[in-house]
């Protein structure tokens, strides 16, 4: 037992400070989150979902322009995604820098001279995107001692996708299910098709739907087809059009694209990041559910 009754008031204060200051400091350190910098929106979005947005992010202004939203309002801008301000980044003294290969591997040497670089691969033809996003959520949760919150986030995503899947099944009563192409017209001669290794393919699978495009894809989970190749495809199409690129909304008003489809496609606005995390997947899933219900 520690007895302090004989100490003068000032002595007692000093004694208590000596005893309790280390304990208070340990509590403060336990609550202080790590200073993390993200070079990938899926990573940044997951950190934000766990209430620990990244300290800074490369390309943030570009993402905000694409979405036309003030994304990650508490996160600082590092400049261009592939030409960041290294001096400013170093001044922030981050604990770790998170990237998603194959992007930004050419910057790894410079980044590693500033802080530890954590590489989290997410997309690619031979990768399981759902498992990767689960692993991403758990990894960033572990960085800030938020393992429980990470598991709760995964469970909440699974629950919302289950609700969307039931609605899609109900919508299929009106029209039998058939494989779907998820496409995006790039210009008057080229089309992007999302296949294995993409967020779009993962969402179709989670909704109990089949992706009609099983051709080879690149590291980002899509293939580029010419207009002549697109004319050889037969099936039902989901056409994505982005708010930041008004020229590709639905079918172009002129050219061969007007004679491309026999069936009316399902048009969905890209209100999600196409290489994003679980929140992007939920946005796409719920948009697709609403489109199928209204078809």
């Amino acid at each position: 037992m520690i007895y302090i009754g004989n100490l003068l008031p000032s002595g007692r204060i000093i004694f208590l400070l000596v005893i309790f200051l280390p304990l208070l400091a340990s509590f403060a350190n336990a609550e202080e989150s790590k200073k993390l910098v993200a070079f990938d929106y899926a990573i940044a979005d997951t950190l934000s979902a766990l209430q620990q947005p990244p300290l800074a992010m490369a390309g943030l202004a570009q993402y905000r322009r694409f979405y036309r939203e003030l994304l990650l309002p508490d996160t600082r801008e590092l400049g261009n995604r592939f030409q960041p301000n290294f001096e400013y980044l170093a001044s922030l003294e981050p604990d770790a820098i998170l990237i998603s290969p194959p992007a930004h591997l050419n910057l790894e040497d410079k980044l590693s001279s500033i802080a530890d670089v954590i590489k989290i691969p997410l997309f690619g033809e031979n990768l399981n995107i759902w498992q990767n996003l689960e692993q991403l959520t758990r990894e960033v949760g572990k960085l800030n001692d938020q393992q429980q919150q990470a598991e709760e986030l995964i469970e909440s995503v699974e629950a919302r996708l289950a609700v969307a899947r039931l609605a899609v099944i109900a919508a299929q009563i009106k029209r039998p299910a058939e494989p779907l192409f998820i496409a995006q017209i790039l210009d008057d001669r080229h089309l992007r098709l999302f296949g294995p290794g993409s967020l779009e393919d993962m969402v179709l699978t989670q909704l109990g739907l089949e992706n009609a495009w099983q051709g080879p894809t690149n590291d980002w989970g899509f293939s580029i087809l010419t207009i002549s190749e697109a004319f050889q495809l037969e099936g039902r199409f989901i056409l994505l059009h982005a708010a930041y690129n008004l020229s590709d909304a639905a079918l172009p008003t002129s050219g061969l694209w007007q004679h491309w489809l026999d069936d009316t496609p399902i048009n969905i606005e890209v209100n999600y990041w196409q290489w994003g995390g679980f929140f992007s997947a939920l946005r796409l899933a719920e948009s697709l559910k609403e489109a199928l219900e209204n078809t």
Side-chain angles (χ1 to χ4, degrees), residues 275-287:
W275 299 276
F278 275 140
F279 274 20
S280 290
L282 284 174
R283 279 191 169 193
L284 171 60
E286 292 171 351
S287 294

Side-chain angles (χ1 to χ4, degrees), residues 213-267:
W213 181 247
Q214 296 299 317
T217 57
N218 59 17
D219 287 336
W220 302 107
F222 65 84
S223 309
I224 301 293
L225 276 66
T226 64
I227 188 170
S228 60
E229 292 171 326
F231 264 82
Q232 299 175 28
L233 301 175
E234 296 182 2
R236 196 176 184 200
F237 281 81
I238 299 168
L239 287 185
L240 304 177
H241 57 97
Y244 58 81
N245 188 355
L246 300 178
S247 64
D248 68 348
L251 289 173
T253 57
S254 61
L256 293 173
W257 289 122
Q258 286 299 304
H259 307 285
W260 175 37
L261 298 176
D262 295 328
D263 197 5
T264 302
I266 301 171
N267 292 295

Side-chain angles (χ1 to χ4, degrees), residues 7-287:
L7 293 177
L8 295 174
S10 59
R12 294 178 185 179
I13 293 174
I14 295 173
F15 180 83
L16 291 173
L17 287 175
V18 170
I19 293 295
F20 289 109
L21 271 180
L23 184 60
L24 294 173
S26 65
F27 285 147
N29 290 334
E31 295 178 358
E32 184 180 354
S33 60
K34 287 186 171 63
K35 295 192 292 183
L36 303 177
V37 169
F39 273 64
D40 179 272
Y41 185 75
I43 295 173
D45 198 28
T46 305
L47 285 166
S48 181
L50 293 172
Q51 307 302 314
Q52 296 289 351
L55 172 65
M57 181 179 177
L60 183 55
Q62 294 167 291
Y63 289 113
R64 287 172 174 168
R65 186 168 64 253
F66 288 164
Y67 273 108
R68 299 183 180 180
E69 296 177 17
L70 183 59
L71 303 172
L72 303 169
D74 298 323
T75 299
R76 306 180 193 186
E77 170 64 66
L78 285 178
N80 187 278
R81 289 177 62 202
F82 297 97
Q83 293 179 323
N85 187 327
F86 290 103
E87 291 78 12
Y88 179 54
L89 173 59
S91 72
L92 297 176
E93 299 182 344
D95 295 307
I97 301 169
L98 288 75
I99 67 173
S100 178
H104 303 108
L105 285 178
N106 62 317
L107 302 179
E108 185 177 1
D109 289 343
K110 288 186 177 180
L111 295 177
S112 60
S113 67
I114 297 173
D116 291 335
V117 175
I118 299 175
K119 294 178 283 189
I120 307 176
L122 296 174
F123 298 96
E125 183 178 9
N126 298 316
L127 300 178
N128 185 312
I129 308 306
W130 179 267
Q131 290 181 2
N132 287 354
L133 293 182
E134 282 187 329
Q135 185 63 24
L136 163 66
T137 305
R138 292 186 173 110
E139 283 194 37
V140 299
K142 186 177 180 180
L143 287 172
N144 283 322
D145 196 24
Q146 293 181 295
Q147 292 91 331
Q148 181 61 37
Q149 292 92 326
E151 294 301 326
E152 291 172 357
L153 175 59
I154 293 171
E155 291 173 3
S156 69
V157 171
E158 290 175 337
R160 287 177 62 178
L161 283 174
V163 171
R165 181 164 54 249
L166 290 175
V168 168
I169 292 172
Q172 289 172 357
I173 297 175
K174 301 178 182 178
R175 177 169 180 167
E178 58 184 304
L180 297 170
F181 290 101
I182 298 188
Q184 188 170 26
I185 295 174
L186 300 178
D187 53 39
D188 60 351
R189 293 179 180 275
H190 298 93
L191 174 80
R192 177 185 288 164
L193 282 179
F194 293 91
S198 68
L199 186 77
E200 289 75 9
D201 181 79
M202 183 203 79
V203 168
L204 286 179
T205 300
Q206 291 295 319
L207 294 180
L209 299 168
E210 182 181 350
N211 191 341
W213 181 247
Q214 296 299 317
T217 57
N218 59 17
D219 287 336
W220 302 107
F222 65 84
S223 309
I224 301 293
L225 276 66
T226 64
I227 188 170
S228 60
E229 292 171 326
F231 264 82
Q232 299 175 28
L233 301 175
E234 296 182 2
R236 196 176 184 200
F237 281 81
I238 299 168
L239 287 185
L240 304 177
H241 57 97
Y244 58 81
N245 188 355
L246 300 178
S247 64
D248 68 348
L251 289 173
T253 57
S254 61
L256 293 173
W257 289 122
Q258 286 299 304
H259 307 285
W260 175 37
L261 298 176
D262 295 328
D263 197 5
T264 302
I266 301 171
N267 292 295
I268 295 179
E269 182 176 337
V270 182
N271 64 344
Y272 66 97
W273 183 243
Q274 292 173 292
W275 299 276
F278 275 140
F279 274 20
S280 290
L282 284 174
R283 279 191 169 193
L284 171 60
E286 292 171 351
S287 294

